[in-house]
Amino acid sequence: MSPKPVEPEITPHATVGLFDSGLGGLSVLRAMQTHLPQAHLLYVADSGFAPYGERDEPFIVDRSLHISQFLLSQGAQALVVACNTATAAAVKELRAAFPQVPIVGVEPGVKPAVAQSRNQRVGVMATPGTLKSEKFRQLVSSHAQGAELVLQACPGLAREIERGELDTPALRALVHEFCEPLRAAQVDTVVLGCTHYPFVRPLIAQALGPDVLILDTADAVARHAASRLARVPRLSSAHQAPPGGLQLWSSGDAAHL
Ligand code: DGL
């Protein structure tokens, strides 16, 4: 009789660390809570150093290594880089620094957007850092498939969202400014390539009009993280964190978080 393949042990109770430059990664955290309700989640908002989108890559790599080290010291068994800008700048360095740890990153959903666009004109809203990264260039060359991509850098938008008020005149003006070129280019699908932007999705939807499909990747990332956790070894019950728990840290104002 041939031996049965060994099924990886599913670890719904794993402790997972997430981080972002600030509040944006909470959009990913929310999806993680849906897909992994039993996991214990640790979240770091690097609000004291936000936004990342207008910083240089070595700075983001340093912050990402430092925060990841902290999350691992708090018991994280897997990491989710809940930030497109940090993923583009630092995920390679994080994987090299922590080769045993499953690390899931976030990147703009160019592939699903191209698949769903009817007129093959797709807008991508993201930070300047994400759009000029080598990782994003590779993403486009693998997945644009001949579609026309209209890249819209949104400097200042994450910073404004970070203030926590989600419908101010300043925010509306910024959203309008960044959506106008996308409307003019007649894109029918827009990718939210920054984890802060889902928090102003209603404003973006209003500025783009009812015929434009808006996509973000929080859900896909959470599902991917759940499947990666299947490979995380189960801890003995003495070391398991309470299921469904959540701990939050901020390098800025913790009360704000
Ligand atoms: N939330 C981050 C992202 O997904 C970046 C925002 C920022 O700090 O500029 O790219």
PDB file of all heavy atoms in Angstrom, residues 20-25 49-55 82-87 106 126-128 130 154 156-159 162 192-197, ligand 1:
ATOM      1  N   ASP A  20       1.560  48.449   8.966  1.00  0.00           N
ATOM      2  CA  ASP A  20       1.389  49.427   7.881  1.00  0.00           C
ATOM      3  C   ASP A  20       2.059  50.716   8.359  1.00  0.00           C
ATOM      4  O   ASP A  20       2.413  50.843   9.539  1.00  0.00           O
ATOM      5  CB  ASP A  20      -0.119  49.663   7.633  1.00  0.00           C
ATOM      6  CG  ASP A  20      -0.377  50.738   6.584  1.00  0.00           C
ATOM      7  OD1 ASP A  20       0.244  50.687   5.506  1.00  0.00           O
ATOM      8  OD2 ASP A  20      -1.178  51.656   6.845  1.00  0.00           O
ATOM      9  N   SER A  21       2.179  51.675   7.455  1.00  0.00           N
ATOM     10  CA  SER A  21       2.716  52.978   7.863  1.00  0.00           C
ATOM     11  C   SER A  21       1.780  53.664   8.860  1.00  0.00           C
ATOM     12  O   SER A  21       2.174  54.628   9.499  1.00  0.00           O
ATOM     13  CB  SER A  21       2.867  53.866   6.633  1.00  0.00           C
ATOM     14  OG  SER A  21       1.589  54.091   6.059  1.00  0.00           O
ATOM     15  N   GLY A  22       0.565  53.194   8.942  1.00  0.00           N
ATOM     16  CA  GLY A  22      -0.391  53.853   9.850  1.00  0.00           C
ATOM     17  C   GLY A  22      -1.678  53.081   9.930  1.00  0.00           C
ATOM     18  O   GLY A  22      -1.687  51.869  10.168  1.00  0.00           O
ATOM     19  N   LEU A  23      -2.788  53.785   9.664  1.00  0.00           N
ATOM     20  CA  LEU A  23      -4.111  53.195   9.856  1.00  0.00           C
ATOM     21  C   LEU A  23      -4.577  52.345   8.663  1.00  0.00           C
ATOM     22  O   LEU A  23      -5.513  51.561   8.783  1.00  0.00           O
ATOM     23  CB  LEU A  23      -5.153  54.307  10.074  1.00  0.00           C
ATOM     24  CG  LEU A  23      -4.818  55.326  11.173  1.00  0.00           C
ATOM     25  CD1 LEU A  23      -5.918  56.379  11.269  1.00  0.00           C
ATOM     26  CD2 LEU A  23      -4.654  54.617  12.511  1.00  0.00           C
ATOM     27  N   GLY A  24      -3.920  52.524   7.504  1.00  0.00           N
ATOM     28  CA  GLY A  24      -4.392  51.877   6.273  1.00  0.00           C
ATOM     29  C   GLY A  24      -4.520  50.373   6.386  1.00  0.00           C
ATOM     30  O   GLY A  24      -5.486  49.781   5.911  1.00  0.00           O
ATOM     31  N   GLY A  25      -3.552  49.744   7.054  1.00  0.00           N
ATOM     32  CA  GLY A  25      -3.560  48.287   7.165  1.00  0.00           C
ATOM     33  C   GLY A  25      -4.760  47.757   7.941  1.00  0.00           C
ATOM     34  O   GLY A  25      -5.036  46.548   7.912  1.00  0.00           O
ATOM     35  N   PHE A  49       5.888  57.633  11.726  1.00  0.00           N
ATOM     36  CA  PHE A  49       6.777  57.767  10.567  1.00  0.00           C
ATOM     37  C   PHE A  49       5.998  57.799   9.250  1.00  0.00           C
ATOM     38  O   PHE A  49       6.579  57.684   8.183  1.00  0.00           O
ATOM     39  CB  PHE A  49       7.805  56.623  10.560  1.00  0.00           C
ATOM     40  CG  PHE A  49       8.706  56.670  11.761  1.00  0.00           C
ATOM     41  CD1 PHE A  49       8.340  56.044  12.950  1.00  0.00           C
ATOM     42  CD2 PHE A  49       9.908  57.355  11.710  1.00  0.00           C
ATOM     43  CE1 PHE A  49       9.153  56.097  14.070  1.00  0.00           C
ATOM     44  CE2 PHE A  49      10.737  57.419  12.826  1.00  0.00           C
ATOM     45  CZ  PHE A  49      10.360  56.791  14.007  1.00  0.00           C
ATOM     46  N   ALA A  50       4.666  57.897   9.338  1.00  0.00           N
ATOM     47  CA  ALA A  50       3.834  57.931   8.126  1.00  0.00           C
ATOM     48  C   ALA A  50       3.876  59.338   7.520  1.00  0.00           C
ATOM     49  O   ALA A  50       4.107  60.305   8.250  1.00  0.00           O
ATOM     50  CB  ALA A  50       2.397  57.573   8.487  1.00  0.00           C
ATOM     51  N   PRO A  51       3.614  59.472   6.228  1.00  0.00           N
ATOM     52  CA  PRO A  51       3.399  58.391   5.277  1.00  0.00           C
ATOM     53  C   PRO A  51       4.717  57.817   4.732  1.00  0.00           C
ATOM     54  O   PRO A  51       5.722  58.509   4.721  1.00  0.00           O
ATOM     55  CB  PRO A  51       2.611  59.079   4.167  1.00  0.00           C
ATOM     56  CG  PRO A  51       3.058  60.510   4.207  1.00  0.00           C
ATOM     57  CD  PRO A  51       3.427  60.807   5.630  1.00  0.00           C
ATOM     58  N   TYR A  52       4.649  56.556   4.312  1.00  0.00           N
ATOM     59  CA  TYR A  52       5.820  55.920   3.696  1.00  0.00           C
ATOM     60  C   TYR A  52       5.939  56.305   2.214  1.00  0.00           C
ATOM     61  O   TYR A  52       7.012  56.236   1.645  1.00  0.00           O
ATOM     62  CB  TYR A  52       5.682  54.386   3.735  1.00  0.00           C
ATOM     63  CG  TYR A  52       5.967  53.705   5.050  1.00  0.00           C
ATOM     64  CD1 TYR A  52       5.788  52.323   5.159  1.00  0.00           C
ATOM     65  CD2 TYR A  52       6.421  54.399   6.172  1.00  0.00           C
ATOM     66  CE1 TYR A  52       6.057  51.641   6.336  1.00  0.00           C
ATOM     67  CE2 TYR A  52       6.678  53.718   7.364  1.00  0.00           C
ATOM     68  CZ  TYR A  52       6.491  52.345   7.435  1.00  0.00           C
ATOM     69  OH  TYR A  52       6.747  51.669   8.601  1.00  0.00           O
ATOM     70  N   GLY A  53       4.800  56.633   1.619  1.00  0.00           N
ATOM     71  CA  GLY A  53       4.728  56.753   0.159  1.00  0.00           C
ATOM     72  C   GLY A  53       5.614  57.816  -0.441  1.00  0.00           C
ATOM     73  O   GLY A  53       5.900  57.795  -1.634  1.00  0.00           O
ATOM     74  N   GLU A  54       6.073  58.759   0.427  1.00  0.00           N
ATOM     75  CA  GLU A  54       6.942  59.807  -0.103  1.00  0.00           C
ATOM     76  C   GLU A  54       8.339  59.720   0.510  1.00  0.00           C
ATOM     77  O   GLU A  54       9.098  60.669   0.484  1.00  0.00           O
ATOM     78  CB  GLU A  54       6.291  61.171   0.121  1.00  0.00           C
ATOM     79  CG  GLU A  54       5.067  61.354  -0.792  1.00  0.00           C
ATOM     80  CD  GLU A  54       3.803  61.810  -0.098  1.00  0.00           C
ATOM     81  OE1 GLU A  54       3.740  62.974   0.312  1.00  0.00           O
ATOM     82  OE2 GLU A  54       2.873  60.967   0.057  1.00  0.00           O
ATOM     83  N   ARG A  55       8.670  58.548   1.093  1.00  0.00           N
ATOM     84  CA  ARG A  55       9.996  58.315   1.693  1.00  0.00           C
ATOM     85  C   ARG A  55      10.866  57.510   0.735  1.00  0.00           C
ATOM     86  O   ARG A  55      10.352  56.860  -0.172  1.00  0.00           O
ATOM     87  CB  ARG A  55       9.859  57.466   2.962  1.00  0.00           C
ATOM     88  CG  ARG A  55       8.930  58.032   3.990  1.00  0.00           C
ATOM     89  CD  ARG A  55       9.715  58.792   5.002  1.00  0.00           C
ATOM     90  NE  ARG A  55       8.924  59.058   6.202  1.00  0.00           N
ATOM     91  CZ  ARG A  55       9.381  59.796   7.197  1.00  0.00           C
ATOM     92  NH1 ARG A  55      10.586  60.322   7.153  1.00  0.00           N
ATOM     93  NH2 ARG A  55       8.633  60.012   8.252  1.00  0.00           N
ATOM     94  N   ALA A  82       0.885  44.867   5.535  1.00  0.00           N
ATOM     95  CA  ALA A  82      -0.425  45.376   5.110  1.00  0.00           C
ATOM     96  C   ALA A  82      -0.297  46.755   4.461  1.00  0.00           C
ATOM     97  O   ALA A  82      -1.096  47.662   4.725  1.00  0.00           O
ATOM     98  CB  ALA A  82      -1.378  45.410   6.305  1.00  0.00           C
ATOM     99  N   CYS A  83       0.709  46.892   3.625  1.00  0.00           N
ATOM    100  CA  CYS A  83       1.045  48.181   3.020  1.00  0.00           C
ATOM    101  C   CYS A  83       1.688  47.920   1.658  1.00  0.00           C
ATOM    102  O   CYS A  83       2.689  47.192   1.582  1.00  0.00           O
ATOM    103  CB  CYS A  83       2.030  48.907   3.947  1.00  0.00           C
ATOM    104  SG  CYS A  83       2.704  50.441   3.281  1.00  0.00           S
ATOM    105  N   ASN A  84       1.110  48.485   0.623  1.00  0.00           N
ATOM    106  CA  ASN A  84       1.659  48.284  -0.728  1.00  0.00           C
ATOM    107  C   ASN A  84       3.059  48.884  -0.841  1.00  0.00           C
ATOM    108  O   ASN A  84       3.949  48.306  -1.465  1.00  0.00           O
ATOM    109  CB  ASN A  84       0.763  48.960  -1.768  1.00  0.00           C
ATOM    110  CG  ASN A  84      -0.596  48.296  -1.888  1.00  0.00           C
ATOM    111  OD1 ASN A  84      -0.813  47.484  -2.754  1.00  0.00           O
ATOM    112  ND2 ASN A  84      -1.514  48.642  -0.995  1.00  0.00           N
ATOM    113  N   THR A  85       3.245  50.063  -0.241  1.00  0.00           N
ATOM    114  CA  THR A  85       4.531  50.765  -0.373  1.00  0.00           C
ATOM    115  C   THR A  85       5.636  49.977   0.324  1.00  0.00           C
ATOM    116  O   THR A  85       6.738  49.818  -0.208  1.00  0.00           O
ATOM    117  CB  THR A  85       4.416  52.179   0.244  1.00  0.00           C
ATOM    118  OG1 THR A  85       3.206  52.788  -0.214  1.00  0.00           O
ATOM    119  CG2 THR A  85       5.604  53.037  -0.132  1.00  0.00           C
ATOM    120  N   ALA A  86       5.351  49.460   1.535  1.00  0.00           N
ATOM    121  CA  ALA A  86       6.360  48.690   2.268  1.00  0.00           C
ATOM    122  C   ALA A  86       6.618  47.348   1.590  1.00  0.00           C
ATOM    123  O   ALA A  86       7.750  46.867   1.567  1.00  0.00           O
ATOM    124  CB  ALA A  86       5.912  48.487   3.716  1.00  0.00           C
ATOM    125  N   THR A  87       5.577  46.754   1.013  1.00  0.00           N
ATOM    126  CA  THR A  87       5.787  45.494   0.291  1.00  0.00           C
ATOM    127  C   THR A  87       6.732  45.734  -0.882  1.00  0.00           C
ATOM    128  O   THR A  87       7.704  44.992  -1.085  1.00  0.00           O
ATOM    129  CB  THR A  87       4.446  44.926  -0.228  1.00  0.00           C
ATOM    130  OG1 THR A  87       3.589  44.688   0.888  1.00  0.00           O
ATOM    131  CG2 THR A  87       4.643  43.618  -0.980  1.00  0.00           C
ATOM    132  N   VAL A 106       1.266  42.863   0.130  1.00  0.00           N
ATOM    133  CA  VAL A 106       0.095  43.385  -0.584  1.00  0.00           C
ATOM    134  C   VAL A 106       0.587  44.106  -1.833  1.00  0.00           C
ATOM    135  O   VAL A 106       1.517  44.909  -1.740  1.00  0.00           O
ATOM    136  CB  VAL A 106      -0.623  44.475   0.253  1.00  0.00           C
ATOM    137  CG1 VAL A 106      -1.964  44.829  -0.368  1.00  0.00           C
ATOM    138  CG2 VAL A 106      -0.810  44.055   1.675  1.00  0.00           C
ATOM    139  N   ALA A 126      -2.158  54.882  -6.341  1.00  0.00           N
ATOM    140  CA  ALA A 126      -1.201  54.361  -5.358  1.00  0.00           C
ATOM    141  C   ALA A 126      -0.272  55.483  -4.932  1.00  0.00           C
ATOM    142  O   ALA A 126      -0.357  56.609  -5.456  1.00  0.00           O
ATOM    143  CB  ALA A 126      -0.397  53.202  -5.964  1.00  0.00           C
ATOM    144  N   THR A 127       0.614  55.168  -3.998  1.00  0.00           N
ATOM    145  CA  THR A 127       1.563  56.202  -3.548  1.00  0.00           C
ATOM    146  C   THR A 127       2.653  56.363  -4.612  1.00  0.00           C
ATOM    147  O   THR A 127       2.909  55.441  -5.406  1.00  0.00           O
ATOM    148  CB  THR A 127       2.222  55.802  -2.219  1.00  0.00           C
ATOM    149  OG1 THR A 127       3.061  54.658  -2.432  1.00  0.00           O
ATOM    150  CG2 THR A 127       1.197  55.498  -1.145  1.00  0.00           C
ATOM    151  N   PRO A 128       3.339  57.523  -4.595  1.00  0.00           N
ATOM    152  CA  PRO A 128       4.447  57.695  -5.544  1.00  0.00           C
ATOM    153  C   PRO A 128       5.485  56.583  -5.378  1.00  0.00           C
ATOM    154  O   PRO A 128       6.010  56.067  -6.367  1.00  0.00           O
ATOM    155  CB  PRO A 128       5.031  59.064  -5.162  1.00  0.00           C
ATOM    156  CG  PRO A 128       3.911  59.789  -4.473  1.00  0.00           C
ATOM    157  CD  PRO A 128       3.082  58.738  -3.784  1.00  0.00           C
ATOM    158  N   THR A 130       5.137  53.394  -4.411  1.00  0.00           N
ATOM    159  CA  THR A 130       4.706  52.133  -5.033  1.00  0.00           C
ATOM    160  C   THR A 130       4.860  52.215  -6.547  1.00  0.00           C
ATOM    161  O   THR A 130       5.405  51.314  -7.181  1.00  0.00           O
ATOM    162  CB  THR A 130       3.228  51.832  -4.673  1.00  0.00           C
ATOM    163  OG1 THR A 130       3.146  51.631  -3.262  1.00  0.00           O
ATOM    164  CG2 THR A 130       2.714  50.592  -5.389  1.00  0.00           C
ATOM    165  N   CYS A 154      -0.874  59.472  -5.844  1.00  0.00           N
ATOM    166  CA  CYS A 154      -1.766  60.284  -4.999  1.00  0.00           C
ATOM    167  C   CYS A 154      -1.000  60.826  -3.785  1.00  0.00           C
ATOM    168  O   CYS A 154      -1.323  60.478  -2.639  1.00  0.00           O
ATOM    169  CB  CYS A 154      -2.955  59.449  -4.539  1.00  0.00           C
ATOM    170  SG  CYS A 154      -3.873  58.661  -5.872  1.00  0.00           S
ATOM    171  N   GLY A 156       0.006  62.733  -0.641  1.00  0.00           N
ATOM    172  CA  GLY A 156      -0.774  63.481   0.347  1.00  0.00           C
ATOM    173  C   GLY A 156      -2.089  62.816   0.729  1.00  0.00           C
ATOM    174  O   GLY A 156      -2.677  63.139   1.767  1.00  0.00           O
ATOM    175  N   LEU A 157      -2.582  61.877  -0.088  1.00  0.00           N
ATOM    176  CA  LEU A 157      -3.903  61.301   0.200  1.00  0.00           C
ATOM    177  C   LEU A 157      -3.856  60.418   1.458  1.00  0.00           C
ATOM    178  O   LEU A 157      -4.713  60.533   2.344  1.00  0.00           O
ATOM    179  CB  LEU A 157      -4.404  60.510  -1.015  1.00  0.00           C
ATOM    180  CG  LEU A 157      -5.822  59.942  -0.909  1.00  0.00           C
ATOM    181  CD1 LEU A 157      -6.842  61.024  -0.548  1.00  0.00           C
ATOM    182  CD2 LEU A 157      -6.244  59.261  -2.218  1.00  0.00           C
ATOM    183  N   ALA A 158      -2.829  59.559   1.567  1.00  0.00           N
ATOM    184  CA  ALA A 158      -2.738  58.709   2.771  1.00  0.00           C
ATOM    185  C   ALA A 158      -2.572  59.580   4.018  1.00  0.00           C
ATOM    186  O   ALA A 158      -3.155  59.305   5.070  1.00  0.00           O
ATOM    187  CB  ALA A 158      -1.575  57.730   2.636  1.00  0.00           C
ATOM    188  N   ARG A 159      -1.788  60.654   3.893  1.00  0.00           N
ATOM    189  CA  ARG A 159      -1.568  61.536   5.063  1.00  0.00           C
ATOM    190  C   ARG A 159      -2.889  62.131   5.538  1.00  0.00           C
ATOM    191  O   ARG A 159      -3.168  62.201   6.733  1.00  0.00           O
ATOM    192  CB  ARG A 159      -0.586  62.656   4.692  1.00  0.00           C
ATOM    193  CG  ARG A 159      -0.211  63.517   5.897  1.00  0.00           C
ATOM    194  CD  ARG A 159       0.632  64.732   5.548  1.00  0.00           C
ATOM    195  NE  ARG A 159       1.939  64.370   5.016  1.00  0.00           N
ATOM    196  CZ  ARG A 159       2.345  64.640   3.772  1.00  0.00           C
ATOM    197  NH1 ARG A 159       1.550  65.280   2.928  1.00  0.00           N
ATOM    198  NH2 ARG A 159       3.534  64.285   3.362  1.00  0.00           N
ATOM    199  N   GLU A 162      -4.984  59.531   7.202  1.00  0.00           N
ATOM    200  CA  GLU A 162      -4.356  59.215   8.485  1.00  0.00           C
ATOM    201  C   GLU A 162      -4.906  60.101   9.615  1.00  0.00           C
ATOM    202  O   GLU A 162      -4.917  59.727  10.772  1.00  0.00           O
ATOM    203  CB  GLU A 162      -2.845  59.407   8.315  1.00  0.00           C
ATOM    204  CG  GLU A 162      -1.951  58.881   9.388  1.00  0.00           C
ATOM    205  CD  GLU A 162      -1.944  57.352   9.483  1.00  0.00           C
ATOM    206  OE1 GLU A 162      -2.386  56.641   8.552  1.00  0.00           O
ATOM    207  OE2 GLU A 162      -1.525  56.890  10.527  1.00  0.00           O
ATOM    208  N   LEU A 192      -7.409  50.242  -6.153  1.00  0.00           N
ATOM    209  CA  LEU A 192      -6.948  51.007  -4.989  1.00  0.00           C
ATOM    210  C   LEU A 192      -5.638  50.355  -4.540  1.00  0.00           C
ATOM    211  O   LEU A 192      -5.641  49.327  -3.862  1.00  0.00           O
ATOM    212  CB  LEU A 192      -7.986  50.978  -3.866  1.00  0.00           C
ATOM    213  CG  LEU A 192      -9.384  51.509  -4.231  1.00  0.00           C
ATOM    214  CD1 LEU A 192     -10.283  51.557  -2.997  1.00  0.00           C
ATOM    215  CD2 LEU A 192      -9.296  52.896  -4.890  1.00  0.00           C
ATOM    216  N   GLY A 193      -4.514  50.968  -4.918  1.00  0.00           N
ATOM    217  CA  GLY A 193      -3.203  50.364  -4.676  1.00  0.00           C
ATOM    218  C   GLY A 193      -2.534  50.854  -3.422  1.00  0.00           C
ATOM    219  O   GLY A 193      -1.296  50.881  -3.339  1.00  0.00           O
ATOM    220  N   CYS A 194      -3.326  51.248  -2.458  1.00  0.00           N
ATOM    221  CA  CYS A 194      -2.802  51.672  -1.152  1.00  0.00           C
ATOM    222  C   CYS A 194      -3.844  51.282  -0.126  1.00  0.00           C
ATOM    223  O   CYS A 194      -5.050  51.510  -0.349  1.00  0.00           O
ATOM    224  CB  CYS A 194      -2.586  53.185  -1.135  1.00  0.00           C
ATOM    225  SG  CYS A 194      -2.278  53.871   0.517  1.00  0.00           S
ATOM    226  N   THR A 195      -3.419  50.678   0.980  1.00  0.00           N
ATOM    227  CA  THR A 195      -4.395  50.146   1.935  1.00  0.00           C
ATOM    228  C   THR A 195      -5.149  51.247   2.696  1.00  0.00           C
ATOM    229  O   THR A 195      -6.144  50.962   3.359  1.00  0.00           O
ATOM    230  CB  THR A 195      -3.711  49.188   2.935  1.00  0.00           C
ATOM    231  OG1 THR A 195      -2.599  49.854   3.543  1.00  0.00           O
ATOM    232  CG2 THR A 195      -3.227  47.936   2.238  1.00  0.00           C
ATOM    233  N   HIS A 196      -4.685  52.489   2.584  1.00  0.00           N
ATOM    234  CA  HIS A 196      -5.454  53.588   3.178  1.00  0.00           C
ATOM    235  C   HIS A 196      -6.714  53.913   2.358  1.00  0.00           C
ATOM    236  O   HIS A 196      -7.708  54.384   2.903  1.00  0.00           O
ATOM    237  CB  HIS A 196      -4.610  54.868   3.237  1.00  0.00           C
ATOM    238  CG  HIS A 196      -3.653  54.938   4.390  1.00  0.00           C
ATOM    239  ND1 HIS A 196      -2.519  54.181   4.474  1.00  0.00           N
ATOM    240  CD2 HIS A 196      -3.680  55.698   5.523  1.00  0.00           C
ATOM    241  CE1 HIS A 196      -1.868  54.471   5.590  1.00  0.00           C
ATOM    242  NE2 HIS A 196      -2.554  55.390   6.253  1.00  0.00           N
ATOM    243  N   TYR A 197      -6.629  53.718   1.047  1.00  0.00           N
ATOM    244  CA  TYR A 197      -7.677  54.260   0.175  1.00  0.00           C
ATOM    245  C   TYR A 197      -9.069  53.620   0.353  1.00  0.00           C
ATOM    246  O   TYR A 197     -10.078  54.309   0.126  1.00  0.00           O
ATOM    247  CB  TYR A 197      -7.246  54.216  -1.294  1.00  0.00           C
ATOM    248  CG  TYR A 197      -5.947  54.955  -1.609  1.00  0.00           C
ATOM    249  CD1 TYR A 197      -5.299  54.794  -2.831  1.00  0.00           C
ATOM    250  CD2 TYR A 197      -5.356  55.824  -0.687  1.00  0.00           C
ATOM    251  CE1 TYR A 197      -4.106  55.451  -3.123  1.00  0.00           C
ATOM    252  CE2 TYR A 197      -4.157  56.478  -0.967  1.00  0.00           C
ATOM    253  CZ  TYR A 197      -3.536  56.281  -2.190  1.00  0.00           C
ATOM    254  OH  TYR A 197      -2.355  56.922  -2.474  1.00  0.00           O
TER     255      TYR A 197
HETATM  256  N1  DGL B   1      -0.957  52.258   3.291  1.00  0.00           N
HETATM  257  C1  DGL B   1       0.233  52.347   2.530  1.00  0.00           C
HETATM  258  C2  DGL B   1       0.147  51.592   1.205  1.00  0.00           C
HETATM  259  O1  DGL B   1      -0.609  50.657   1.091  1.00  0.00           O
HETATM  260  C3  DGL B   1       0.946  53.617   2.314  1.00  0.00           C
HETATM  261  C4  DGL B   1       0.484  54.908   2.793  1.00  0.00           C
HETATM  262  C5  DGL B   1       1.670  55.790   3.054  1.00  0.00           C
HETATM  263  O2  DGL B   1       2.200  55.679   4.148  1.00  0.00           O
HETATM  264  O3  DGL B   1       2.061  56.560   2.161  1.00  0.00           O
HETATM  265  O4  DGL B   1       0.868  51.877   0.286  1.00  0.00           O
END
